[in-house]
Amino acid sequence: MSPVAVVTDSTADLGDLATSAHIAVVPLTISFGNEHFRDGIDLSREEFYKRLASSTHPPATAQPAPSALAAVYTRLLGAGASGIVSLHLSSALSGTYNSAATAAREVDADRIVVIDTHSASLGLGLIALQAAEDARLGMDVATIARRARDESPKVQLLAVIPTLTYLARGGRIGALAGLLGNVLRIVPIVTLKDGEVAEYAKVRTFTRAVDQMVDITTSRIQGRGRARVAVLHSVAPELADSVARRIEAAVAPALLISACVGPTVGTHAGPGAVGVAFIP
Amino acid sequence: MKDREQPTSVAGRSRPVAVTRIGGKRFVEFVIAGTYFLRKYRAIVNDLNVFPVPDGDTGTNMFLTVRAAMIEARRCRTEKLSAVAAAAAQGSLMGARGNSGVIISQMFRGFAHAVRHREAIETLDLAIAMNDAVQAARHALLKPVEGTILSVAAAAAAAAFKAAVQESDFLTVLHAMVDAANEALEKTPEQLPVLKEAKVVDAGGQGFVYFLEGSLRMLPGRAPYTTAFPRRPVRRTTFTARQKVEQHRFCTEFVLTSARIPDHALRTMLAEHGDSLIVAGGDGALRVHIHTDYPSKVMDLAREYGDVSKSKVDNMEEQHNVLVVDRESKPRGIVCVVPGDGFAKICKELGADVTVLGGATMNPSVKDLLVAVNKVLAPVVYLFPNDKNVIAAAREVQPLTDRRVVVVPTRSVPEGIAALFGLLNQPPDVDVEQSADALLGDSTLAASGSIFRAGRDATVFGVRVGNGELMGALEGRNGAGDRIIKGVDAEAIAAAMVAESGARDASLITLYYGSARKLKEADHVAEALRQAYPNTAVEVYYGGQSSSDYVISIER
C-alpha cells in the first residue's frame, strides 16, 4: 500500500525541511500594498523582513484559495497516495483551515483529513514533521491524524520580541499595550494563548529575557533525549544558534531544528526576535 | 407638624430666628450652599453613575450646571426673587451639562416661572414652585424614567406641599423635603433594575439630595458643617456587560439660540436620531442633549432653526471604557513607598496603584500607609515598604483596614522593584499567604546600595568617614554583608560596590540618580561600570531621591 501524503501550509516555516521530509507545502499570499507574493516562493525570508522594516503599513496575509489546496490534493492522490493528512495554522489566526476543509470535501472527503493544529509557525511545523515521519513508517490516515491531534495541545511556544512596534502596528498588541513607552525598558516573553499573542513574563533587557526563555524551556522538558524542539528567529541566526546550543546542552532533544519564521509570526514580531516551539 | 422630631444638630438649642420669607438674597445663598455641597460630594455622585450611561460624570455635570446657575444668580444684586431666579435659570440653561444637568436646569426654569411675579415667597409658594419645577423637568424629557432624579425631586416637592400647609418656617419644610428625597432615593434601585444590579442608588437623585442638603444648611439653626451626614454610598460592584453603552456612541449637547422652532417641535424632529433626548428651555434659547451616532447631522438639523453654540460631543464608549478598565475585577492592588518621583513613576508602571513618598529621612507614618492602602480598589493589597525603617510601620496597617494587607518586607527600592517584577509574573490566583516570602526568595536582586555624602564625621561598620565625604553603602541580600565603601569619586565607588557585591554573574546593573544629580553625571558613572563589566547591561534611570546621589541595583 502506498504511503499517506502530508500537506501543510507555508506558515509552518519548515522551508527546506519540508522538502526533505516529503511534506507538500501550500503557500499563503502576502501583500505589501498592491504587490502580492506567494509566501516562501516569490518572496524570500530576507526580502520579507527588508520590506517589513521599510513599509509603513503592515503586510496582509491571505489564506490560499480552496482551489489551490484542491489542486495539491488531486495531484498527490493522482500520484498514488493512499490518503492525505493536511495540517494547518490555528483557525483563530487564519482562514487557511477553512480553505483546506472546503477543498477536502470537494476532492475526496473519505481519504483526506484536515486538522486545525491550533498552533502556528514551527509549532505547526513540529506536528507536520511528526506526521511525515509516521507516514514514512507506513501508518494509515486515521492513525496519523489521531496522533497529530494528540500532539497539538502539547505544543508550547515562547518568544522574545525586541520591539513592540510591530505588534502594535498589526493591532495584535492587546494586553502588552501597557508596555509601550515605558520608562524601564521592559521586554516581554510572549506566548500563544487561544491563538492570540499573550504575555508570559516581563523581564528587563532582551538578553535576560532570552536567558529566561531558555530556562523556562529546559525546565519544562523532562528527561533528556525525548523532546522535540524548534528554535525560531526572525533574521537573527546567530542568536538562534546560541539558544539551540544551550537547549542541546541542557536537555539533548530528540529533534532540534532551527528556522527563520515567515510572515504570520514575523509581521507581528518584527526582525530580531527569537523563540522556541517545543513538544516536551 | 409641631411635634415633628427636630434634626439632631439643633436639638436642645433654641432657634434664633424662624425664616418665613425668602427673597432674592436668601435664594442666592441657597444656591451657593447647594452648589458647594454638591461640589464637595460630586466624586461620590460620579461613582454612582450607571444610568442612563455609565460614564462616571454625573456629579461633575450637575455641579457645573448649578455652578453656572450660582454665578448668574450672584450677579443680580437685587432683593427681587423673580429676577434672581430667572438669572439662575438662564445660567443653568446655558451651563447645563449632561442628562441630569439639563434636568436640573429645567427645574430652575420651572421654579423661575412659578415665582416670576414675586419679590419673595413663603413656604407654600416654595411648595408650588417646586411642583412646577418637577413638571417642567418631566416635560422636557421625551420618556421620563422613574427611579431617577425625577422621582427624587417629585418626592421632595410632594413633601414640601404636605409640610407647607401647616408650617411657615422654611427649616421645617426643607427638612421634610430632604427626608422625603432621601427616602425616594433609597427606592430608586427598586424602580430601575440597572441600579439594583450595580447596588447603587441613582446618581442624579443623589446629586439632587446633596444640593438640597446644602441649601438646608443656609438656614439659621442648622449647623453649616456636619460629620454625621451624608452617609457615603459605596459602589460595591464594577460595571457589568449589561451596563454597556447602548447603540449610540456620542453624547451631544448644544444650545440653539435665536431659535425659530418651539421646543416640542425640535424634540419631535430630533427624536429619531438618538435617545436620551432632552430639549429644554424657551424664549428663543433651547438646550439640546441627545445620545446619537451622528452628532454633526443633529446639529445641522438644528442649525436650520437657529444658531448652534456651546456644542460639546463626548464619545461615551471611550468614557465608559476608561471607567471599566479602571475598575474591572481587580483581585489585588499594590502600594509602594518610594524615595523620589522617578521611582514613583517606575513603580506605577510596574503596577503600583498608589505610591507614598518616603525614604531614609522622611519615613511615612502608619496613617500615611493606611490612607494609601484604602485608596486601592482591591480586596488584597501588597504593600512594599522599600526601606528597612518602614517595614515595622507597614506591619501596623493590617488591623486598621478591611483590606487584606500583604507586607512584602523589602528593605530598599531595588529590592522592591525586583519583587514587583516577581509579582507581575505571578499568576493572579497564587496563594496570598505564601507569595510575600516567595517574592523575596525568588528575587533576581544580588545586591543594592546607594552613594551619598556623609552628614557628619562617624565610624560606620568600622569605616571612618568625614562630614561631606562621598561614600557608598552596600547591602547584600537579606541584610547580610552591609558595607561602607569609599573612593575618589562616584565612578570609583560604584565600580568598587559592584566588585564587593561578589555578583560575578550579574546581568544587569541599574543606576538611579537622585534629584541633586544630572543625567549626564549618571551616564559617566554608568560608562565607568560598562568598561569595568563589559558583559553586564548597565541602565540609567531617574530616581528623584533626595537622600542619595545614586541608588544602585545589581541583578542576576
Side-chain angles (χ1 to χ4, degrees):
Chain A
M1 189 174 145
S2 40
V4 171
V6 175
V7 176
T8 187
D9 55 69
S10 61
T11 69
D13 292 330
L14 286 171
D16 294 341
L17 288 167
T19 323
S20 52
H22 301 289
I23 299 171
V25 178
V26 183
L28 274 74
T29 305
I30 305 150
S31 308
F32 283 96
N34 289 325
E35 291 181 273
H36 309 288
F37 305 92
R38 283 175 299 165
D39 181 20
I41 299 175
D42 310 325
L43 187 68
S44 72
R45 295 290 189 247
E46 290 73 17
E47 179 64 20
F48 166 74
Y49 284 103
K50 224 180 266 171
R51 280 173 173 270
L52 180 70
S54 60
S55 75
T56 47
H57 293 290
T61 52
Q63 65 204 67
S67 59
L69 283 141
V72 173
Y73 295 155
T74 310
R75 176 171 59 75
L76 289 169
L77 291 176
S82 62
I84 294 172
V85 177
S86 197
L87 303 150
H88 297 283
L89 168 69
S90 167
S91 58
L93 294 172
S94 159
T96 306
Y97 168 76
N98 284 329
S99 278
T102 308
R105 273 196 302 276
E106 275 171 22
V107 176
D108 190 338
D110 295 335
R111 287 198 290 167
I112 306 170
V113 178
V114 180
I115 295 173
D116 176 358
T117 62
H118 302 289
S119 195
S121 187
L122 283 165
L124 164 59
L126 286 176
I127 299 169
L129 286 175
Q130 174 70 43
E133 176 64 15
D134 288 353
R136 198 180 61 80
L137 294 174
M139 296 184 196
D140 61 10
V141 170
T143 311
I144 298 171
R146 179 174 50 75
R147 282 168 57 86
R149 285 200 181 98
D150 288 347
E151 293 288 273
S152 295
K154 295 184 199 156
V155 177
Q156 301 184 40
L157 197 81
L158 294 168
V160 181
I161 296 172
T163 164
L164 296 175
T165 318
Y166 294 92
L167 264 182
R169 199 172 74 171
R172 281 263 161 74
I173 191 146
L176 299 175
L179 290 180
L180 285 171
N182 246 351
V183 172
L184 290 182
R185 291 177 280 273
I186 295 174
V187 179
I189 298 176
V190 299
T191 185
L192 210 60
K193 197 175 174 185
D194 305 325
E196 291 287 322
V197 181
E199 177 184 288
Y200 182 83
K202 288 175 173 146
V203 185
R204 285 179 59 196
T205 83
F206 183 73
T207 311
R208 294 169 88 229
V210 173
D211 291 351
Q212 193 166 330
M213 180 183 74
V214 172
D215 288 348
I216 296 164
T217 305
T218 54
S219 72
R220 291 228 182 125
I221 291 173
Q222 288 120 16
R224 294 173 65 90
R226 283 173 41 203
R228 278 162 293 148
V229 180
V231 178
L232 28 122
H233 65 91
S234 45
V235 283
E238 284 104 20
L239 185 57
D241 276 353
S242 114
V243 168
R245 276 198 305 274
R246 285 149 75 184
I247 292 173
E248 169 73 46
V251 294
L255 174 72
L256 181 61
I257 56 173
S258 174
C260 180
V261 294
T264 32
V265 174
T267 300
H268 306 295
V274 64
V276 185
F278 61 100
I279 303 174
Chain B
M1 295 280 278
K2 294 289 176 204
D3 58 349
R4 198 191 142 75
E5 201 184 40
Q6 289 300 324
T8 47
S9 55
V10 292
R13 263 196 256 163
S14 60
R15 271 159 45 195
V17 194
V19 175
T20 53
R21 277 175 72 81
I22 288 181
K25 260 199 192 134
R26 190 125 249 168
F27 181 76
V28 173
E29 286 172 1
F30 275 142
V31 176
I32 292 172
T35 303
Y36 279 96
F37 214 69
L38 191 51
R39 181 173 80 166
K40 193 168 166 192
Y41 295 107
R42 64 181 189 262
I44 296 175
V45 178
N46 284 342
D47 274 355
L48 294 172
N49 179 197
V50 293
F51 179 85
V53 180
D55 45 8
D57 59 4
T58 298
T60 308
N61 286 341
M62 289 183 84
F63 160 65
L64 290 171
T65 307
V66 296
R67 191 184 64 164
M70 174 189 85
I71 291 168
E72 286 307 314
R74 238 184 190 163
R75 283 211 184 119
C76 300
R77 305 210 173 274
T78 165
E79 251 308 318
K80 263 167 96 179
L81 177 63
S82 56
V84 179
Q90 188 61 22
S92 67
L93 181 64
M94 298 312 281
R97 299 237 312 213
N99 242 315
S100 9
V102 178
I103 294 174
I104 283 256
S105 80
Q106 282 313 286
M107 291 190 193
F108 272 112
R109 188 159 172 273
F111 186 93
H113 189 259
V115 301
R116 66 192 179 283
H117 303 304
R118 308 292 297 270
E119 299 235 334
I121 53 169
E122 296 173 359
T123 53
L124 197 57
D125 306 313
L126 171 75
I128 293 166
M130 274 307 297
N131 274 283
D132 284 5
V134 174
Q135 284 313 314
R138 246 182 233 287
H139 182 71
L141 289 162
L142 202 61
K143 279 178 288 177
V145 178
E146 294 308 323
T148 63
I149 182 172
L150 276 183
S151 333
V152 175
F161 244 125
K162 252 184 170 172
V165 172
Q166 313 169 30
E167 185 58 64
S168 60
D169 184 357
F170 275 95
L171 176 59
T172 317
V173 174
L174 261 171
H175 199 277
M177 287 169 70
V178 170
D179 280 352
N182 264 316
E183 219 170 277
L185 182 64
E186 290 302 328
K187 282 191 199 136
T188 55
E190 299 305 319
Q191 295 167 294
L192 210 50
V194 69
L195 301 177
K196 192 168 194 173
E197 190 186 342
K199 298 196 176 76
V200 294
V201 294
D202 180 62
Q206 179 70 69
F208 179 80
V209 169
Y210 283 149
F211 183 78
L212 222 51
E213 260 291 314
S215 311
L216 184 54
R217 269 155 227 294
M218 274 316 295
L219 288 165
R222 277 307 298 235
Y225 307 107
T226 174
T227 50
F229 191 88
R231 81 223 182 294
R232 185 178 176 128
V234 180
R235 159 177 281 153
R236 269 156 297 209
T237 60
T238 55
F239 294 131
T240 66
R242 223 161 71 76
Q243 297 159 350
K244 250 174 66 178
V245 173
E246 345 76 83
Q247 62 265 48
H248 302 298
R249 274 192 303 145
F250 298 101
C251 174
T252 307
E253 295 175 69
F254 57 89
V255 173
L256 190 69
T257 48
S258 318
R260 297 179 300 276
I261 182 170
D263 55 348
H264 56 87
L266 186 63
R267 200 172 297 130
T268 314
M269 191 175 86
L270 296 182
E272 60 176 298
H273 298 287
D275 56 21
S276 293
L277 172 66
I278 307 176
V279 176
D283 311 326
L286 297 173
R287 177 162 273 276
V288 177
H289 170 281
I290 185 170
H291 295 167
T292 178
D293 275 333
Y294 310 102
S296 49
K297 189 171 169 190
V298 167
M299 284 190 250
D300 285 345
L301 278 169
R303 219 166 259 130
E304 308 222 340
Y305 301 94
D307 303 324
V308 170
S309 65
K310 298 207 168 198
S311 61
K312 170 173 163 285
V313 178
D314 285 332
N315 185 334
M316 296 187 291
E317 220 161 62
E318 274 174 17
Q319 293 178 333
H320 177 72
N321 286 344
V322 165
L323 291 178
V324 170
V325 169
D326 273 2
R327 294 167 191 279
E328 204 170 49
S329 62
K330 185 173 169 163
R332 65 188 183 198
I334 299 171
V335 170
C336 287
V337 179
V338 291
D341 54 343
F343 282 117
K345 196 169 173 201
I346 288 168
C347 287
K348 287 217 161 143
E349 284 178 357
L350 294 177
D353 299 277
V354 180
T355 56
V356 182
L357 210 57
T361 52
M362 39 174 183
N363 291 332
S365 66
V366 174
K367 194 183 160 211
D368 295 337
L369 297 175
L370 175 67
V371 168
V373 164
N374 283 342
K375 272 187 194 165
V376 179
L377 295 170
V380 177
V381 179
Y382 284 76
L383 178 53
F384 292 77
N386 293 343
D387 187 307
K388 47 185 170 296
N389 297 322
V390 182
I391 296 172
R395 295 205 192 276
E396 297 296 319
V397 176
Q398 180 63 89
L400 305 173
T401 175
D402 58 348
R403 288 166 174 70
R404 171 90 178 81
V405 180
V406 182
V407 176
V408 185
T410 49
R411 297 159 49 86
S412 64
V413 210
E415 203 169 38
I417 290 174
L420 270 178
F421 270 95
L423 189 59
L424 278 180
N425 292 330
Q426 225 172 36
D429 54 353
V430 77
D431 181 12
V432 170
E433 301 301 328
Q434 291 172 9
S435 61
D437 294 335
L439 288 175
L440 285 183
D442 298 344
S443 168
T444 54
L445 190 77
S448 66
S450 55
I451 299 175
F452 59 98
R453 286 191 189 280
R456 57 188 165 85
D457 296 329
T459 302
V460 194
F461 296 117
V463 181
R464 283 197 58 80
V465 291
N467 188 5
E469 189 181 350
L470 197 64
M471 60 182 202
L474 184 73
E475 281 179 18
R477 285 296 307 283
N478 305 318
D482 286 5
R483 264 156 296 177
I484 294 297
I485 290 160
K486 302 215 279 186
V488 288
D489 52 18
E491 282 79 353
I493 294 173
M497 285 171 82
V498 178
E500 282 281 306
S501 76
R504 277 174 231 301
D505 54 348
S507 63
L508 174 61
I509 300 170
T510 316
L511 204 59
Y512 302 94
Y513 60 101
S515 54
R517 296 272 71 87
K518 291 190 168 63
L519 173 60
K520 226 174 166 181
E521 299 170 293
D523 276 337
H524 273 289
V525 180
E527 200 42 50
L529 288 173
R530 284 187 194 108
Q531 300 221 331
Y533 301 93
N535 293 324
T536 306
V538 181
E539 295 189 346
V540 174
Y541 297 105
Y542 169 67
Q545 72 278 12
S546 57
S547 49
S548 69
D549 285 4
Y550 301 102
V551 168
I552 293 180
S553 156
I554 303 160
E555 287 174 69
R556 281 191 198 92

